[in-house]
């Protein structure tokens, strides 16, 4: 956690720098007033205190390239920023970074939709929800969907290889991109906006920038994959006796539906109870309380009633074999939205239960039950009364293993044990062949842990790639690899 106090930027040497920037992008696109900088320097969870002399908002790829060159001449690093919804401090510079923030928010044009090719070409600053809506208007689906979709930008989504609720069927952001346009750390533009599904002409360079968290270059535009819009969707909420039963149920849903599962989310009783207690409008969809639940979405390209039948077949069979204990199937879109509201409300609800220590981890799907058993036991042994709220994309093996403080405990004392809890949980994750960052990335928050858990060979390879593309270390410094 950063404790450095930002210094005021009164240095007159900055004047030349600002003048060059203003000449490049126009005075309105160079923000220096503290009230204009503030929203760009506040990280969502308040873990980092940001500091930068200015925020630049270029309006075109050429302007981004010019800004990068000017910064390089002045020895100033560049921190790209999208919607600033990242949860690992990746888009925030601190004082010692000597960096500006480069916001992509003005580059928000959908350049092209090619319905025959099932692709769309978008600028990096397009808000994810706007991309979804543009695709929908063209009778296509762009399936990336996550809680922050009204704010996060596609450049940020690609740079963090965002996951979300549809990964099971459509993949992560990495699986949804065909081409990229990138401004490199030396200011060159890589025009890689290919709209090809087959292209075996050497290293697939776009994948260096996807998940690169802005450390290798600035994504300015992308060609995204589109899909046929589902015509039918069925949502069910089922109580399961154990996480192992949830995994078994997932397998049945996949097999019986012919891979029609788009979402499969785990919800613990405490998560549902918190939502009911703290978020208006959330109610328990079942008659009695159970320990674990799953929220399941099936989708199909045709609407002939067969999807509902499939869901009923799965649930009835599961009920007979006690794989589920009770279930409800949404009879309307309103009911489906109410079931999803439970899932979405959990993060907000947990804030009202005092301090929480978070983990965004993944293990092979088959190891989720083992992980949960071991991790819950381990953290409970260290902090008696701790309240684990493990939830999330069990269909991808991705659990948000959040820990609420014991009732009545001191919040600060509890949060002071963040690193200790991380170590306990991450040790178990890694012993199961898992990842300490399933979705949110490394940013600044997990640089040390990543170096600890990844093999020396892998870290060395990452450093070599960073050094090859960004020898001066001016692109989002001290993030991902330090
Ligand atoms: C309520 C909520 C729910 C969330 N749910 C999910 C979820 O389900 N799945 C998930 O994966 N994440 C989730 N997140 C995390 C976050 O929304 C994602 O990481 C998102 O992809 C970040 O996009 P952004 O535009 O906000 O990026 P930012 O936060 O602005 O930046 C994130 C990183 O990308 C870099 N970056 C941004 N734009 C560019 C660019 N154009 N070129 C190069 N680098 C760039 C930044 O430097 C930084 O390192 C959630 C966050 C919130 C607040």
């Amino acid at each position: 956690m950063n404790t450095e106090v930002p210094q005021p930027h009164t240095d007159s040497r900055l004047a030349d720098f600002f003048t060059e920037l203003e000449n490049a992008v126009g005075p309105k696109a160079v923000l220096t007033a503290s009230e204009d900088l503030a929203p760009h320097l506040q990280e969502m969870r308040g873990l980092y205190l940001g500091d930068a002399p200015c925020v630049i908002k270029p309006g075109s790829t050429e302007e981004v390239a010019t800004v990068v060159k000017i910064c390089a001449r002045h020895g100033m690093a560049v921190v790209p920023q999208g919607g600033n919804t990242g949860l690992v401090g990746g888009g925030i510079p601190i004082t010692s970074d000597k960096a500006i923030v480069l916001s992509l928010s003005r580059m928000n044009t959908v350049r092209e939709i090619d319905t025959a090719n099932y692709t769309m070409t978008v600028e990096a600053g397009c808000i994810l929800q706007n991309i979804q809506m543009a695709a929908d208007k063209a009778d296509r689906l762009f399936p990336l969907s996550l809680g922050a979709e009204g704010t996060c930008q596609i450049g940020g989504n690609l740079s963090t290889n965002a996951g979300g609720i549809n990964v099971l069927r459509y993949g992560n952001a990495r699986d949804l991109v065909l081409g990229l346009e990138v401004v490199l750390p030396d200011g060159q533009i890589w025009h890689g906006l290919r709209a090809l599904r087959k292209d075996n002409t050497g290293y697939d360079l776009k994948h260096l920038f996807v998940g690169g968290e802005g450390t290798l270059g600035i994504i300015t535009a992308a060609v995204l994959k589109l899909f046929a819009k589902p015509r039918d969707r069925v949502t069910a909420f089922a109580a399961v006796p154990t996480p192992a039963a949830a995994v078994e149920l997932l397998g049945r849903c996949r097999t019986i539906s012919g891979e029609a599962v788009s979402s499969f989310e785990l919800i613990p009783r405490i998560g549902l109870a918190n939502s009911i207690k703290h978020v208006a409008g959330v109610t328990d969809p079942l008659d009695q309380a159970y320990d674990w639940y799953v929220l399941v979405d099936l989708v199909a390209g045709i609407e002939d009633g067969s999807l509902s039948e499939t869901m009923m077949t799965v649930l009835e069979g599961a009920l007979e074999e006690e794989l589920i204990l009770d279930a409800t199937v949404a009879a309307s879109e309103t009911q489906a939205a109410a079931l999803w509201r439970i899932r979405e409300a959990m993060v907000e609800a947990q804030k009202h239960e005092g301090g929480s220590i978070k983990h965004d981890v993944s293990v092979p799907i088959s190891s989720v039950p083992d992980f949960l058993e071991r991790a819950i036991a381990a953290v409970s042994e260290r902090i008696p009364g701790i309240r684990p709220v493990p939830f999330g994309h069990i269909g991808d093996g991705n659990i948000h293993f959040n820990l609420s403080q014991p009732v009545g405990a001191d919040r600060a004392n509890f949060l002071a044990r963040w690193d200790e809890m991380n170590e306990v949980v991450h040790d178990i994750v890694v012993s199961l062949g898992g990842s300490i960052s399933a979705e949110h990335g490394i940013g600044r928050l997990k640089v040390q842990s990543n170096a600890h858990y990844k093999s020396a060979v892998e870290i060395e390879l990452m450093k070599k790639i960073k050094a090859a593309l960004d020898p001066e270390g001016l692109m989002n410094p001290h993030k991902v690899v330090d």
Side-chain angles (χ1 to χ4, degrees):
M1 200 173 296
N2 172 44
T3 51
E4 288 181 53
V5 178
Q7 301 299 310
H9 296 287
T10 52
D11 191 333
S12 60
R13 284 171 303 173
L14 283 176
D16 287 350
F17 178 53
F18 289 156
T19 306
E20 280 188 52
L21 290 170
E22 284 179 7
N23 289 340
V25 296
K28 281 193 188 154
V30 180
L31 311 183
T32 53
S34 52
E35 65 271 24
D36 293 333
L37 301 189
H40 297 274
L41 299 176
Q42 285 161 17
E43 191 255 353
M44 184 151 269
R45 294 204 291 214
L47 294 180
Y48 296 98
L49 196 58
D51 181 39
C54 58
V55 173
I56 311 296
K57 296 191 171 184
S60 68
T61 303
E62 290 68 28
E63 285 187 6
V64 172
T66 307
V67 169
V68 167
K69 284 178 191 162
I70 294 171
C71 288
R73 268 205 307 279
H74 285 264
M76 193 65 85
V78 177
V79 176
Q81 197 178 83
N84 195 17
T85 66
L87 298 171
V88 289
I92 302 286
I94 59 171
T95 310
S96 56
D97 291 345
K98 294 193 175 55
I100 63 138
V101 171
L102 190 147
S103 163
L104 278 299
S105 58
R106 280 180 63 223
M107 292 187 60
N108 57 9
T109 304
V110 174
R111 290 187 189 166
E112 188 195 14
I113 298 185
D114 182 343
T115 49
N117 198 40
Y118 280 72
T119 52
M120 70 195 292
T121 306
V122 299
E123 291 186 342
C126 288
I127 288 175
L128 175 57
Q129 201 167 54
N130 294 344
I131 292 176
Q132 294 165 351
M133 289 193 300
D136 187 68
K137 227 170 130 189
D139 197 30
R140 296 288 180 267
L141 172 77
F142 182 62
L144 187 66
S145 177
L146 45 132
E149 64 197 18
T151 311
C152 62
Q153 300 173 6
I154 193 67
N157 301 145
L158 292 168
S159 300
T160 56
N161 185 25
I165 56 173
N166 287 326
V167 172
L168 196 53
R169 186 172 167 89
Y170 299 100
N172 292 293
R174 186 183 296 287
D175 305 301
L176 301 173
V177 64
L178 294 175
L180 286 184
E181 179 186 83
V182 179
V183 171
L184 300 169
D186 62 3
Q188 286 190 85
I189 300 170
W190 174 46
H191 296 282
L193 285 178
R194 297 186 194 108
L196 305 174
R197 283 171 173 81
K198 290 191 169 180
D199 175 19
N200 282 342
T201 52
Y203 306 133
D204 198 339
L205 297 176
K206 65 177 176 290
H207 286 306
L208 286 176
F209 303 99
V210 177
E213 300 186 46
T215 60
L216 301 177
I218 300 169
I219 296 173
T220 50
V223 180
L224 305 174
K225 277 189 207 169
L226 298 178
F227 295 82
K229 265 165 64 174
R231 306 290 163 186
D232 200 6
R233 175 182 301 274
V234 180
T235 303
F237 185 87
V240 289
T242 58
V247 171
E248 172 82 28
L249 182 66
L250 168 66
R252 297 232 184 152
C253 286
R254 291 181 68 165
T255 307
I256 296 172
S257 72
E259 294 288 8
V261 186
S262 65
S263 300
F264 198 93
E265 302 284 309
L266 182 72
I267 297 172
R269 176 68 205 174
I270 185 174
L272 173 58
N274 286 346
S275 296
I276 294 169
K277 187 170 159 196
H278 299 296
V279 181
V282 176
T283 52
D284 191 336
L286 302 179
D287 291 337
Q288 67 179 80
Y290 299 93
D291 289 344
W292 297 96
Y293 306 91
V294 289
L295 181 61
V296 189
D297 260 10
L298 301 185
V299 293
I302 47 167
E303 190 176 4
D304 61 358
S306 60
L307 200 63
S308 295
E309 277 173 32
T310 304
M311 183 70 97
M312 291 313 292
T313 305
V314 174
L315 294 178
E316 280 164 13
L319 199 59
E320 258 173 41
E321 295 175 43
E322 297 181 358
L323 264 190
I324 64 172
L325 305 169
D326 195 4
T328 181
V329 179
S332 64
E333 280 187 21
T334 312
Q335 284 184 10
L339 294 178
W340 270 99
R341 186 81 190 108
I342 296 169
R343 163 69 178 83
E344 287 152 5
M346 270 193 303
V347 179
E348 171 60 29
Q350 207 185 349
K351 290 183 191 157
H352 299 277
E353 290 292 318
S356 75
I357 296 175
K358 299 178 195 295
H359 305 85
D360 161 41
V361 298
S362 65
V363 293
I365 299 165
S366 50
S367 299
V368 169
D370 193 11
F371 163 69
L372 288 172
E373 196 181 328
R374 287 170 61 186
I376 290 170
V379 297
S380 305
E381 194 188 314
R382 292 285 182 111
I383 304 182
I386 197 168
R387 292 172 296 157
V389 189
F391 70 96
H393 321 298
I394 187 173
D396 314 320
N398 174 197
I399 299 294
H400 296 305
F401 193 74
N402 290 357
L403 306 169
S404 277
Q405 66 178 60
V407 175
D410 180 84
R411 180 190 172 93
N413 285 345
F414 176 71
L415 291 180
R417 299 183 72 176
W418 189 298
D419 289 345
E420 177 194 344
M421 287 298 105
N422 279 184
E423 197 181 322
V424 167
V425 173
H426 290 163
D427 281 354
I428 295 168
V429 166
V430 171
S431 76
L432 290 167
S435 166
I436 64 162
S437 183
E439 284 199 318
H440 302 154
I442 297 300
R444 192 184 293 277
L445 185 69
K446 293 185 180 171
V447 172
Q448 305 309 331
S449 311
N450 205 32
H452 174 69
Y453 288 111
K454 263 194 176 1
S455 74
V457 172
E458 211 166 341
I459 291 292
E460 190 58 29
L461 274 175
M462 287 170 68
K463 285 185 174 170
K464 279 182 181 161
I465 292 169
K466 170 75 177 168
L469 270 76
D470 182 20
E472 307 298 328
L474 291 176
M475 199 54 71
N476 209 0
H478 313 301
K479 315 284 169 57
V480 184
V481 279
D482 203 359

